[in-house]
Amino acid sequence: MATIGLDRLYYAKITEGENGDETYETPSPLAKAISAELSVELAEATLYADDGAAEVIKEFQSGTLSLGIDDIGVAAASDLTGATIDDNHVLISTSEDGGDPVAIGFRAKKANGKYRYFWLYRVKFGIPATNLATKGDSITFSTPTIEGTVLRRNKLDGQGRHPWKAEVSEGDDGVNQEIITGWYSEVYEPVFAAGTEG
């Protein structure tokens, strides 16, 4: 079903254990969302046998998330880009900056009034782009855009795989309402019955 809206943009800081597995802090609001564009790159290989394609493998390699937001606060900018906040609460960006990956959550409103919810498990952001213009005869809003690379996470799910995205639609068969109401209280962890295979 088509989506007609976007809101509730959150991020969660990541801490990596000694083995590289991620744990997520409690999600925090990032900004008011204007747009989100997600593009995905696949690693692809084709095995040819008997004069034809015998096997085709397509796997997630990485993605790009471009967020249009109303404004990025000083604390969120520091968390996402690695910029520092000085003693006067001024955000200082340096050439050595490089933010740590974070998880990104948001929801998109569907035409039926229900929502589709998302968590991207590991996104590494660059410096926000800023567009400024002088005021002319009409009012033009200038808003920042921040772009990040979406990566799979290190931590395995219950099927021994590396997830990169969680997505659920409100009201779908089998979706427990508690999943929806708790979506922003913590980063969603995949749940699989013991012994199931994908």
Side-chain angles (χ1 to χ4, degrees):
M1 178 173 289
T3 58
I4 57 174
L6 172 70
D7 69 352
R8 306 268 333 250
L9 183 58
Y10 277 67
Y11 75 100
K13 293 170 70 173
I14 295 173
T15 302
E16 290 186 24
E18 288 182 20
N19 62 355
D21 284 358
E22 296 89 347
T23 55
Y24 301 97
E25 293 186 11
T26 302
S28 302
L30 174 54
K32 290 183 179 178
I34 297 171
S35 65
E37 184 178 325
L38 176 63
S39 59
V40 174
E41 285 188 38
L42 299 177
E44 186 174 340
T46 304
L47 173 66
Y48 291 94
D50 286 340
D51 293 333
E55 297 281 340
V56 176
I57 296 176
K58 294 186 179 194
E59 293 182 350
F60 173 80
Q61 183 174 342
S62 67
T64 301
L65 177 65
S66 183
L67 293 174
I69 52 180
D70 70 331
D71 191 17
I72 186 167
V74 172
S78 177
D79 290 341
L80 270 59
T81 68
T84 54
I85 302 169
D86 78 359
D87 294 344
N88 292 317
H89 207 67
V90 175
L91 186 70
I92 307 298
S93 297
T94 68
S95 61
E96 293 83 9
D97 291 347
D100 294 324
V102 296
I104 296 291
F106 53 92
R107 69 180 187 174
K109 189 172 187 178
K110 301 190 309 182
N112 67 0
K114 304 227 182 245
Y115 288 89
R116 182 174 297 139
Y117 292 80
F118 298 86
W119 272 110
L120 301 174
Y121 285 116
R122 192 175 177 90
V123 183
K124 186 163 177 70
F125 284 99
I127 305 300
T130 304
N131 298 311
L132 304 173
T134 189
K135 188 169 77 171
D137 291 338
S138 62
I139 296 173
T140 302
F141 289 103
S142 297
T143 57
T145 301
I146 187 164
E147 188 170 278
T149 300
V150 181
L151 305 164
R152 71 175 200 175
R153 75 177 188 179
N154 299 322
K155 184 179 178 183
L156 298 173
D157 65 14
Q159 295 182 321
R161 298 179 179 178
H162 299 274
W164 65 275
K165 177 177 75 165
E167 178 179 343
V168 66
S169 289
E170 182 180 21
D172 277 1
D173 290 340
V175 176
N176 187 325
Q177 185 58 33
E178 291 175 4
I179 298 297
I180 302 300
T181 56
W183 195 253
Y184 295 105
S185 61
E186 61 184 6
V187 175
Y188 179 79
E189 282 294 332
V191 176
F192 295 101
T196 60
E197 294 183 18

